[in-house]
Amino acid sequence: MATVTLLSAPPSALPSADEKHISVYSPVAIYTLPVLDRAGRDYVGLLELLEPLGRVRAQSEGRRWRLRYNAVDAEFVAGSTRARIRGRDIDFIAPFLLENSRGLVPLSSLSGFLPRFLGSPVNFRESARRLFIGDVGIQISFQLDPSTPPRLALNFSAPVNPTISTEPGKLRMVFKRDPVVSPGSQSISFDNQIITHASYSENNGDAEIDLAANEPLLASFSNNRRTIMISTVMGSAVPQTPATPSVVGTAPQNPTHAPPLSAPGANIASGNANINVNANANANINVNRVLAVVDPAHGGEERGAALTDKLAEKDVTLGFARLLRHELEMRGFAVALLRDADTTSTLDQRAAAANVARAGIYISLHAVAQGSGARVYTALLPVEGTSKGIFHPWNAAQAPSLPVSRIVSAAIVTEMQQREFPAQGSSASLRPLNNVFMPAVAVELSPGANGIADLTSANYQQRAASAIANAIASVRDRLGVQQ
């Protein structure tokens, strides 16, 4: 059982209080998107909204903007409140906007037109900006043991990973990625003099549960993070140690045994890196499936390369990572993203998170404004001291898996070239490749024939992601094998 006295994300990992965003929950992806204010109304990018859910591409011609999602065609006109989806007209509450070839739709119209794209029910809580696609809600129930001292169990229908903080008289749980829904009442009172009541609220894409008490409270996780047990600090029999960040859900364990690493600063218990795996998919993951860790480089305060005046590398790598996740899942891999939002993690934290997950393959994604196609890197290891027994130097942790990493790199380059996608392989001192013990590559995406616009093109990224996934699937039997 993991115990939490105070667990909170660093300020750089959280949206600012003034930043609006929408949270999207679906069986295939859970993610957040920025909300834009246009003429006093809330808008969101439609391409960005649909990208994590399936295959999508868009094209603008003057004021017309055409979009294809899987097999669904749609046409929008800038400034118009009417669109055509699946051959039928649909009216918007506010006009469709086109900004730099980016289509923006009003939030207030999502419930009306999204089901035509997705073919599944949509529940959009506009005031809280929480969008539920299909039956993905996580139910919650409360069970109070009134013994002295009292214990309150919060039982969830699926694993959860809230941010937990305390202040005098209150314990707060904020669910930023979990589709937790209301327990039926916004406020629940307990017939207890110590833990007095609980309240539920939703705002700006998040759900929140606040517990009021007359004594300091302690939270601990059990039942595979499906239960959060609340007790008083004095009454808890569990040692008060910080919880070690864990893989969200039940990520499969790769059969390869990890060598212990003498890692400077690699104590993940003190870091902020968490691997995010789709919670609904986890319940059916076969333990024999290979876990692929996909790492969208940069994030948060670390913007990466400035691809244009307004486009940062961190934004391209995140969209690219979501497409690659989808392609790998289609080929039978279990996939974890090291970040699925604009959050900050150090290189050591990224490596430690992948090592703790015991992944079969690690893929780091980058983007540059120069060149064309893609470059695939494997680690260029520094000269390190000799290994001491079962311990390996942190900056040479990749050494045992480097031969397999080169096989993976060659497979990706070959697959891309066969698809007329310029690609070449290389070695570079590119952390954290050096620090992960499983096969590892970094793929750096460059512009195509259309220049920088290709870096944000779903069609261009899709071609690259499909090639990478095909190549990794072709060497699946080698992944996790240390030479």
Side-chain angles (χ1 to χ4, degrees):
M1 178 181 292
T3 304
V4 182
T5 53
L6 177 63
L7 191 107
S8 59
S12 60
L14 299 173
S16 68
D18 297 329
E19 179 182 290
K20 291 183 179 179
H21 65 276
I22 177 176
S23 294
V24 183
Y25 310 98
S26 79
V28 298
I30 295 175
Y31 53 101
T32 61
L33 295 171
V35 171
L36 308 174
D37 187 308
R38 297 294 184 268
R41 290 186 176 273
D42 288 338
Y43 280 80
V44 68
L46 182 56
L47 187 67
E48 294 86 343
L49 182 63
L50 293 174
E51 272 183 335
L53 305 175
R55 297 173 180 268
V56 61
R57 65 176 182 269
Q59 181 179 6
S60 60
E61 298 176 359
R63 295 176 60 244
R64 296 189 179 275
W65 193 72
R66 294 183 174 87
L67 181 141
R68 183 176 180 83
Y69 170 78
N70 291 339
V72 178
D73 291 311
E75 182 176 304
F76 304 80
V77 178
S80 174
T81 57
R82 176 166 292 182
R84 194 165 184 82
I85 304 173
R86 287 184 182 266
R88 297 176 57 188
D89 290 337
I90 186 168
D91 292 325
F92 288 170
I93 295 176
F96 172 81
L97 303 180
L98 192 59
E99 297 181 354
N100 298 321
S101 300
R102 181 188 184 194
L104 305 181
V105 292
L107 288 190
S108 53
S109 298
L110 293 183
S111 295
F113 76 85
L114 271 183
R116 295 197 180 186
F117 279 109
L118 305 175
S120 61
V122 168
N123 176 13
F124 180 44
R125 305 183 182 187
E126 185 175 354
S127 61
R129 293 190 287 276
R130 303 184 79 209
L131 177 64
F132 296 80
I133 299 172
D135 185 17
V136 296
I138 296 178
Q139 307 297 323
I140 177 177
S141 63
F142 298 84
Q143 184 177 358
L144 179 68
D145 177 359
S147 59
T148 304
R151 292 169 63 86
L152 176 66
L154 282 67
N155 298 305
F156 298 85
S157 59
V160 294
N161 190 34
T163 297
I164 301 177
S165 61
T166 59
E167 58 186 71
K170 181 182 290 188
L171 184 144
R172 173 174 294 144
M173 289 174 279
V174 179
F175 300 85
K176 292 186 170 297
R177 287 188 47 82
D178 304 310
V180 173
V181 295
S182 172
S185 174
Q186 300 298 102
S187 181
I188 300 174
S189 297
F190 305 112
D191 186 14
N192 189 271
Q193 294 181 349
I194 298 179
I195 303 177
T196 58
H197 71 270
S199 61
Y200 173 90
S201 60
E202 296 180 339
N203 181 56
N204 199 24
D206 302 333
E208 182 176 315
I209 295 176
D210 294 319
L211 299 172
N214 294 314
E215 293 184 13
L217 296 179
L218 184 72
S220 59
F221 292 88
S222 63
N223 189 24
N224 190 29
R225 303 187 78 90
R226 293 172 183 262
T227 297
I228 300 178
M229 186 65 69
I230 308 297
S231 60
T232 63
V233 173
M234 296 301 295
S236 175
V238 184
Q240 299 176 34
T241 56
T244 299
S246 59
V247 178
V248 178
T250 54
Q253 301 296 306
N254 188 275
T256 301
H257 294 288
L261 304 174
S262 53
N267 179 11
I268 191 170
S270 61
N272 303 309
N274 279 321
I275 294 183
N276 298 307
V277 184
N278 182 290
N280 291 324
N282 289 340
N284 297 317
I285 287 178
N286 187 308
V287 294
N288 293 320
R289 290 174 65 186
V290 175
L291 173 62
V293 167
V294 179
D295 183 3
H298 312 293
E301 293 180 338
E302 187 187 350
R303 293 173 53 82
L307 304 176
T308 68
D309 291 342
K310 296 182 179 179
L311 181 63
E313 181 182 4
K314 67 174 184 176
D315 299 319
V316 172
T317 59
L318 181 55
F320 190 18
R322 288 169 175 164
L323 288 174
L324 179 56
R325 173 177 61 187
H326 178 68
E327 291 294 324
L328 287 168
E329 287 176 341
M330 290 177 59
R331 290 159 179 80
F333 287 86
V335 184
L337 296 190
L338 280 189
R339 69 176 178 96
D340 200 5
D342 190 19
T343 55
T344 305
S345 294
T346 69
L347 296 176
D348 283 334
Q349 287 167 354
R350 293 171 188 265
N355 289 335
V356 167
R358 307 178 72 84
I361 178 73
Y362 169 86
I363 311 139
S364 178
L365 299 180
H366 295 260
V368 292
Q370 299 79 32
S372 62
R375 186 180 294 270
V376 186
Y377 294 97
T378 53
L380 182 62
L381 298 179
V383 176
E384 290 279 348
T386 58
S387 299
K388 297 178 181 180
I390 62 172
F391 292 93
H392 294 263
W394 178 243
N395 287 325
Q398 172 65 189
S401 291
L402 190 54
V404 179
S405 299
R406 290 169 177 160
I407 292 173
V408 175
S409 173
I412 294 174
V413 169
T414 299
E415 183 70 24
M416 284 187 157
Q417 291 175 345
Q418 289 176 349
R419 298 182 180 217
E420 299 182 354
F421 203 112
Q424 55 182 310
S426 183
S427 296
S429 181
L430 186 62
R431 292 190 62 215
L433 292 185
N434 295 0
N435 312 126
V436 294
F437 64 77
M438 73 289 299
V441 295
V443 180
E444 187 177 70
L445 192 65
S446 302
N450 298 317
I452 292 294
D454 277 336
L455 294 180
T456 56
S457 165
N459 186 43
Y460 186 74
Q461 290 187 7
Q462 183 74 46
R463 286 178 54 209
S466 178
I468 295 169
N470 265 0
I472 292 174
S474 72
V475 295
R476 186 194 313 259
D477 60 336
R478 302 299 301 273
L479 301 182
V481 178
Q482 298 181 16
Q483 302 296 327

